[in-house]
Amino acid sequence: KRLIEKLRSADRRSRLALQSASIIAWECDADRRFTWIHSPSGRFNDVDLLGKPIDLLLAQEASQKYLDAVDRAWKSGESERLSVGWSRGGQEHCYLTSVNPITDPDGRVIGMASAAVDATLLRQAEVSAQKSEEKFLRAFVASPDSLTISRLTDGVIQEVNPSFMRLFGRTRDEVIGRSS
């Protein structure tokens, strides 16, 4: 009875951890059909998916990339990590995913386990930061003022704009890496 209660307790903790992290997780058999699935959003129902092919989880444009990773993991016996993205309803989605072989005692791959965490907000922040950096770079280069970017710790010049080079008659290579 104690062993059964320990197993139930461990199962509850695992499910709670998966839910808390908003992780979609599943296992499949050698036929690449679901044998277990966890979806915190309720978007995927394990009863509806059990026994169905694993490619049902993804949008079509992401499916092939994901299935290729599953194939590589199956053949190599090594885990795969990848970012899977697709667009739905005009919204971009991005999941960081792992695909991990399940092996028998002889080391043969008999199934696959996978987990994916929604990284959509992180990807949106990356895109926003990249756009901001591009705007800054355009302004830096186009500025009529002589500008440099230097490290605060030692004053070493990291970048100069064309106005600086014209004003001082120097090339980038002559200035970059020197103290200001």
Side-chain angles (χ1 to χ4, degrees):
K1 285 184 178 184
R2 279 189 224 160
L3 180 59
I4 290 172
E5 185 49 42
K6 280 185 178 185
L7 289 172
R8 285 184 182 150
S9 180
D11 184 57
R12 280 192 301 272
R13 284 192 305 274
S14 296
R15 289 186 183 278
L16 182 59
L18 288 170
Q19 285 175 324
S20 298
S22 297
I23 295 173
I24 297 171
W26 57 259
E27 286 184 6
C28 75
D29 60 17
D31 294 324
R32 297 186 182 147
R33 295 185 177 281
F34 290 111
T35 57
W36 174 81
I37 186 166
H38 169 79
S39 175
S41 67
R43 180 171 169 237
F44 305 108
N45 183 335
D46 61 348
V47 173
D48 295 336
L49 289 176
L50 289 179
K52 302 265 178 26
I54 60 174
D55 62 343
L56 292 178
L57 266 185
L58 296 169
Q60 188 171 1
E61 67 263 33
S63 185
Q64 193 56 55
K65 179 180 178 181
Y66 190 72
L67 293 176
D68 289 347
V70 170
D71 287 342
R72 284 190 305 274
W74 208 284
K75 289 174 187 167
S76 71
E78 300 290 325
S79 296
E80 287 272 333
R81 307 268 184 270
L82 67 153
S83 175
V84 179
W86 69 90
S87 184
R88 182 177 54 226
Q91 170 91 17
E92 292 294 318
H93 296 273
C94 178
Y95 281 80
L96 299 178
T97 305
S98 67
V99 179
N100 306 287
I102 300 170
T103 57
D104 67 12
D106 296 325
R108 287 186 302 258
V109 177
I110 58 170
M112 207 57 65
S114 182
V117 64
D118 189 344
T120 301
L121 293 177
L122 177 62
R123 180 68 184 130
Q124 289 169 349
E126 272 181 351
V127 169
S128 179
Q130 184 178 11
K131 286 180 182 177
S132 179
E133 190 173 314
E134 288 168 0
K135 285 180 189 177
F136 170 78
L137 182 59
R138 284 194 303 270
F140 178 79
V141 169
S143 176
D145 295 325
S146 173
L147 300 173
T148 66
I149 298 174
S150 303
R151 278 195 309 244
L152 291 175
T153 55
D154 58 9
V156 171
I157 296 173
Q158 301 291 298
E159 191 59 74
V160 295
N161 72 347
S163 295
F164 178 93
M165 292 183 287
R166 279 192 302 276
L167 179 65
F168 292 100
R170 300 283 182 109
T171 66
R172 263 183 99 256
D173 291 339
E174 291 174 321
V175 180
I176 303 295
R178 301 192 186 273
S179 290
S180 53

